[in-house]
Amino acid sequence: MSHIRARIMPKKIKSHLVIGNKFLGSLLYFKDKSGRGSLKLSFKNKIGGFVKGTNIPTTLPVLTKLNSPLSLEISYKFPDSLLEVKKIVGKKIEREFYHVPLPISAILFMIRIKDWQLLDKDNVSTNQLVLIPPDSTNSVAIIFSFLRSNGLPFMPTGYQCPGMRTVAISENSLSTFCIGIAPDPNNQDSNNFLIQIPSYYENT
């Protein structure tokens, strides 16, 4: 009698997301006691000059600027298909929620960094998920995406991201999460950090 070994998907995954040897943030996938899955990206270090933009076609991004340094968390809640941006300024917490239409038809979100070399060095040697930065520029875009029906990740127009890293998660329809880095030499924003969310995600 043959034995078939089932693949058991982990209920919790935690990785240090690193660009070269620089620490970008902590990536966490987990399920709560009710089995509801979430992805969360946390930025440990304070971010100054935070800007959030929406990539509205044919127009410049609509920008909102906070002058005070802040901590930032971005999470995606699978059961509700909800993207949350949580900003922490001192003891004040601000939350924004975006409904992501299903089936997903675009990237989840993108982070544009004017100069990734300004990030702190990563001192953690285990559980690293390393992105290899391009040689041509210090301006990069970090792309967070699920897979298309053809097995390839969604990609924003104008960006090439070969060799995306993947994380296998225990979600039936969205079982592969992709993270990649692309050169972004046309980034002329005055701030070092920009998060872009697809414009048709409904702000709730």
Side-chain angles (χ1 to χ4, degrees):
M1 181 178 179
S2 62
H3 296 277
I4 299 175
R5 179 176 294 178
R7 184 184 181 191
I8 300 174
M9 300 297 293
K11 293 185 177 181
K12 186 174 182 179
I13 301 171
K14 187 172 183 178
S15 298
H16 254 224
L17 189 56
V18 179
I19 303 175
N21 65 342
K22 302 283 189 174
F23 177 55
L24 176 62
S26 294
L27 179 69
L28 176 66
Y29 169 76
F30 64 95
K31 286 197 171 187
D32 64 15
K33 293 180 180 179
S34 300
R36 296 172 297 187
S38 295
L39 273 167
K40 182 168 71 173
L41 180 64
S42 302
F43 297 89
K44 179 180 179 181
N45 299 310
K46 298 292 185 181
I47 299 168
F50 173 78
V51 174
K52 179 176 65 64
T54 304
N55 57 334
I56 301 173
T58 72
T59 67
L60 292 173
V62 176
L63 303 179
T64 303
K65 183 173 181 178
L66 293 175
N67 294 319
S68 301
L70 58 82
S71 297
L72 178 68
E73 290 183 357
I74 306 171
S75 60
Y76 177 70
K77 305 177 190 307
F78 287 90
D80 304 315
S81 194
L82 203 64
L83 187 69
E84 178 185 356
V85 178
K86 183 168 73 172
K87 295 169 285 187
I88 307 167
V89 184
K91 295 183 179 180
K92 183 180 180 182
I93 297 177
E94 298 180 7
R95 300 176 189 268
E96 296 179 5
F97 296 93
Y98 298 85
H99 180 257
V100 182
L102 294 176
I104 289 178
S105 58
I107 64 169
L108 190 60
F109 64 93
M110 177 171 69
I111 292 172
R112 299 177 71 188
I113 300 176
K114 189 72 171 291
D115 187 351
W116 66 269
Q117 298 277 11
L118 297 179
L119 298 171
D120 292 336
K121 286 188 177 181
D122 186 59
N123 296 319
V124 176
S125 59
T126 58
N127 298 327
Q128 286 185 333
L129 195 157
V130 181
L131 303 174
I132 306 300
D135 295 329
S136 56
T137 177
N138 286 340
S139 294
V140 295
I142 315 300
I143 298 156
F144 299 83
S145 174
F146 293 104
L147 295 179
R148 300 172 181 265
S149 58
N150 63 3
L152 298 175
F154 291 98
M155 193 64 54
T157 302
Y159 291 91
Q160 297 294 326
C161 197
M164 291 188 81
R165 303 297 304 273
T166 60
V167 179
I169 55 180
S170 52
E171 300 292 332
N172 290 332
S173 59
L174 299 170
S175 60
T176 303
F177 188 56
C178 305
I179 306 169
I181 187 169
D184 193 15
N186 296 321
N187 184 353
Q188 301 298 320
D189 194 88
S190 59
N191 295 274
N192 192 52
F193 188 96
L194 172 72
I195 172 175
Q196 287 192 248
I197 298 167
S199 57
Y200 61 91
Y201 288 3
E202 182 182 353
N203 193 325
T204 61

